[in-house]
Amino acid sequence: MNPAREDEARRRGRRQRRLCLLAILFPVVLALASAFGAVPIGPAELWQLFSGAGDTSDVVRAVFWDIRLPRVLFAALVGASMALAGAGVQGLFRNPLADPALIGVSAGAALGAVTFFYFGWQNALGGWLLPVAAFTGGWLAVIVLGLFNVGFASGGTAKLILAGVALNAMMGSVLGFFLFSASDDALRSMTFWTLGSCASAQWSQVLVLLVFLAVGIFLLWPNARPLDALQLGQDQAAHLGVSVLRVRLEVIVAAALLVGAATAFAGTIGFIGLVAPHLARLLLGGLHRAVLPGALFIGGMLLVLADLGARTLAAPAELAVGILTAAIGAPFFLWLLRRPSSWSA
Amino acid sequence: MNSDLPSLVAENVTLTLDTIQILDDVSLSMKPGRLVAVIGPNGAGKSSLLSILSGLWTADTGRVLLNNREVGNYPPAERARYCAVMRQDNTRPAGMTVLEAVELGRFAREAEGEASDLAWAILEQMGLADLAARDCTRLSGGEWQRVAFARTVAQVSSADGAGVLLLDEPVSSLDPSHQHELLGEARRLARAGHAVLAILHDLNLTAHYADEVALLSAGRVHACGPAAEMMRPEILSEIYGCQVTEVCEGGQRALVSFPPGKR
């Protein structure tokens, strides 16, 4: 066998193994994270809780099932959603700096949430008004982008990126006005919301996030191969048989659903959507059949770990998780950029 | 299999972009077994013509028929099975190996991972096998151009009939030896029944490899016909606006160009 083909086969094997490793690591990190917190839960207790065997105290059981586990799953789902959306959008724009925020959904969601706080609305709809307001804001932003039709149907991705930048600036200015003229109480709520948090996690939210993640996967997975082809340029992809417009619409809708839902519940959590897909590519190479699931696992784990830090580092106080994702993530990312890629080396 | 297939025919195509007339009443026909070269000065409309032939752009008037059916009426995936295009685009996919990039040629035909053997065979045939595991971003310009050609060949390789190949300056980054290798392969594909079109700048390569030549100038087909009739110094001097002379040495003929006004 030609050594180059052996190399290629080795590389494919390595990709499979690393992806499997991530898939195994993911539940392990989740289990570990649910063991730590104000009430520590040992491995034996953890096992008893899951298997239903033995007798754990009611306090431990309540802490685990009602607070700890939903929160860990919440963080995992939010992180996974942001990362998956980021992987799709980066592939679509063929731009490593692309971020789901680029299509305006994060800023739109922030605007929705800030409007909610500004007018001092009560969190009606059984506590669901805030996420609904944020989600609606996010989607309105994407629809506005679509209405302008800049770069959606025609034109290069550069136009779409620039349109996103303009939209973000526009919403930033409205956001700024609200922040400027808000009452002190509202300002505090707004600021905390924009720092992001997993503290409000509930099982119902976990369920909603799970549904959105499933829809996102459903939309993105069939586009893995078309996204690979798009890396050759939009025109060349069209010549290879890719329906470029359809891929674009599906990826943007998927990203808007994923980021919209995640942001609605957790606030704006930056960085994960940008970094997790990069880490996935460094570990797994550029094919989206590997990058999409890789980013999903990595993003989930990153936010679970960041949230673990948020609730334990300054216990009994809570740090905003957004502070930690950037504080830990950014230096780690810089360090990774310094190293030669473990994939292409 | 229909013996008229594959074919690509442009009939009276015109194209205007932002009030600039790019193509004016262009007609062109590609047949199985023939290599057609399109030559002409920069800005003559060669690449625009290729975008229209490939169905990527729509002509203002006139029509393009791929296998006797309007090219715009094909769904992208079906069109890709009959017509492969190699653009000048130098966009390299990061984190993707040469083998994976060539496998992408099979996008419209097979699921991911099912085309490795074919892609490998084509790489071996083109002397690119040693690069198979190389990241595409670590190739030289010429290597990447050869890989792009291999991908285009992978796209039309099929047991159920030949296809149309459109090549936009396929040898622009290659050294002389690889220029001959690539165009020799393109001609071999034509002989095997494919219909091949290449946009070229090198007059001698055109004279050597093309069966037919279309001379494009200012958006119009200046002349079109067998290569031997088209590649004449007086015609070429006129469309390029510089002096083209034929020199003979030991039975070999070559076309040489000089700056305007000098001999």
Side-chain angles (χ1 to χ4, degrees):
Chain A
M1 204 186 203
N2 184 303
R5 189 142 205 210
E6 278 173 28
D7 265 8
E8 174 66 30
R10 254 201 305 278
R11 196 160 137 142
R12 286 177 191 208
R14 193 170 56 195
R15 175 164 53 220
Q16 290 291 333
R17 281 195 305 277
R18 287 183 178 181
L19 199 53
C20 286
L21 195 68
L22 284 175
I24 295 166
L25 214 55
F26 185 69
V28 171
V29 166
L30 262 59
L32 277 178
S34 42
F36 291 100
V39 178
I41 302 172
E45 275 178 307
L46 210 56
W47 172 249
Q48 286 170 2
L49 282 164
F50 274 115
S51 62
D55 50 348
T56 42
S57 77
D58 286 348
V59 176
V60 167
R61 207 173 306 142
V63 163
F64 181 77
W65 288 111
D66 299 338
I67 302 171
R68 194 72 57 73
L69 191 61
R71 180 162 182 168
V72 167
L73 289 175
F74 178 93
L77 287 166
V78 167
S81 299
M82 302 292 293
L84 187 61
V89 168
Q90 283 179 8
L92 183 68
F93 290 123
R94 211 160 23 81
N95 188 333
L97 285 176
D99 183 283
L102 212 60
I103 54 172
V105 60
S106 315
L111 198 55
V114 164
T115 309
F116 170 89
F117 292 124
Y118 184 79
F119 291 107
W121 292 338
Q122 294 304 306
N123 206 350
L125 304 175
W128 288 76
L129 186 57
L130 174 59
V132 166
F135 188 77
T136 310
W139 263 90
L140 279 178
V142 177
I143 290 167
V144 166
L145 201 63
L147 283 179
F148 275 108
N149 199 20
V150 195
F152 265 59
S154 63
T157 44
K159 263 194 184 169
L160 191 50
I161 293 180
L162 288 173
V165 169
L167 192 69
N168 273 311
M170 216 157 69
M171 287 186 297
S173 105
V174 181
L175 211 65
F177 173 78
F178 276 161
L179 288 174
F180 180 73
S181 55
S183 69
D184 280 357
D185 272 359
L187 196 61
R188 196 176 159 74
S189 304
M190 290 172 185
T191 312
F192 273 110
W193 191 88
T194 50
L195 285 173
S197 170
C198 300
S200 70
Q202 295 161 12
W203 277 111
S204 54
Q205 297 175 343
V206 168
L207 198 67
V208 173
L209 283 167
L210 196 63
V211 170
F212 274 88
L213 183 61
V215 173
I217 293 171
F218 176 78
L219 281 170
L220 284 174
W221 188 246
N223 281 312
R225 192 81 177 134
L227 282 172
D228 289 344
L230 271 174
Q231 305 315 301
L232 296 166
Q234 197 172 297
D235 289 350
Q236 190 63 65
H239 292 313
L240 290 173
V242 176
S243 308
V244 176
L245 182 59
R246 209 185 73 193
V247 174
R248 213 185 255 193
L249 275 174
E250 286 179 2
V251 171
I252 287 176
V253 166
L257 287 172
L258 289 166
V259 178
T263 311
F265 290 129
T268 40
I269 292 173
F271 213 64
I272 288 193
L274 177 73
V275 167
H278 272 288
L279 293 174
R281 272 192 295 270
L282 284 171
L283 280 172
L284 304 165
L287 291 185
H288 286 83
R289 198 66 78 187
V291 171
L292 295 177
L296 186 150
F297 291 135
I298 291 171
M301 287 190 281
L302 279 181
L303 197 59
V304 165
L305 291 174
D307 185 53
L308 176 65
R311 59 193 167 82
T312 53
L313 284 180
E318 281 236 4
L319 285 172
V321 72
I323 299 174
L324 284 169
T325 50
I328 301 166
F332 179 57
F333 188 52
L334 285 174
W335 175 72
L336 271 175
L337 286 178
R338 266 178 53 96
R339 301 170 66 236
S341 159
S342 70
W343 184 253
S344 51
Chain B
M1 190 181 122
N2 189 333
S3 61
D4 291 342
L5 299 181
S7 74
L8 186 63
V9 180
E11 292 173 355
N12 312 105
V13 165
T14 64
L15 176 72
T16 307
L17 294 177
D18 300 330
T19 74
I20 301 166
Q21 176 116 41
I22 307 290
L23 295 172
D24 181 10
D25 196 25
V26 172
S27 296
L28 192 80
S29 153
M30 292 170 66
K31 298 181 200 74
R34 314 288 284 171
L35 196 162
V36 180
V38 176
I39 65 170
N42 297 134
K46 301 184 295 293
S47 293
S48 302
L49 176 62
L50 191 123
S51 288
I52 285 187
L53 289 175
S54 64
L56 198 64
W57 294 357
T58 312
D60 295 336
T61 60
R63 57 181 194 163
V64 176
L65 301 174
L66 171 63
N67 297 348
N68 305 321
R69 182 173 147 200
E70 194 117 17
V71 72
N73 291 343
Y74 283 88
E78 192 187 349
R79 185 180 67 209
R81 282 196 289 274
Y82 300 121
C83 175
V85 184
M86 173 181 169
R87 297 188 71 86
Q88 281 190 66
D89 209 343
N90 195 28
T91 312
R92 321 264 189 100
M96 208 182 280
T97 62
V98 164
L99 187 68
E100 287 162 352
V102 174
E103 283 179 61
L104 273 179
R106 306 297 288 175
F107 176 83
R109 290 179 186 273
E110 283 122 16
E112 187 171 355
E114 285 174 15
S116 312
D117 289 339
L118 176 80
W120 177 257
I122 290 171
L123 284 175
E124 265 192 327
Q125 185 191 336
M126 301 204 173
L128 289 164
D130 290 341
L131 298 179
R134 185 90 64 89
D135 194 287
C136 289
T137 53
R138 309 228 166 153
L139 297 174
S140 75
E143 285 169 339
W144 173 244
Q145 201 162 34
R146 291 165 64 208
V147 169
F149 180 67
R151 187 193 63 230
T152 313
V153 173
Q155 191 176 342
V156 292
S157 294
S158 162
D160 58 314
V164 171
L165 282 99
L166 303 172
L167 313 171
D168 194 354
E169 296 194 30
V171 295
S172 57
S173 303
L174 300 186
D175 62 64
S177 145
H178 282 119
Q179 288 182 338
H180 286 291
E181 194 178 296
L182 191 149
L183 287 174
E185 181 62 23
R187 189 166 61 182
R188 199 193 59 73
L189 287 164
R191 297 294 176 264
H194 297 280
V196 185
L197 179 144
I199 294 174
L200 294 173
H201 274 306
D202 189 300
L203 301 177
N204 290 299
L205 291 173
T206 307
H208 189 74
Y209 288 101
D211 299 307
E212 283 161 44
V213 175
L215 298 162
L216 210 62
S217 173
R220 298 185 67 94
V221 178
H222 184 87
C224 184
E229 289 172 28
M230 295 296 112
M231 299 308 284
R232 294 216 309 268
E234 61 276 17
I235 299 177
L236 297 171
S237 298
E238 192 188 335
I239 74 152
Y240 283 109
C242 69
Q243 191 65 43
V244 177
T245 309
E246 194 170 58
V247 293
C248 293
E249 174 83 33
Q252 297 272 33
R253 300 176 338 131
L255 293 157
V256 185
S257 66
F258 297 95
K262 288 189 183 169
R263 281 302 302 268

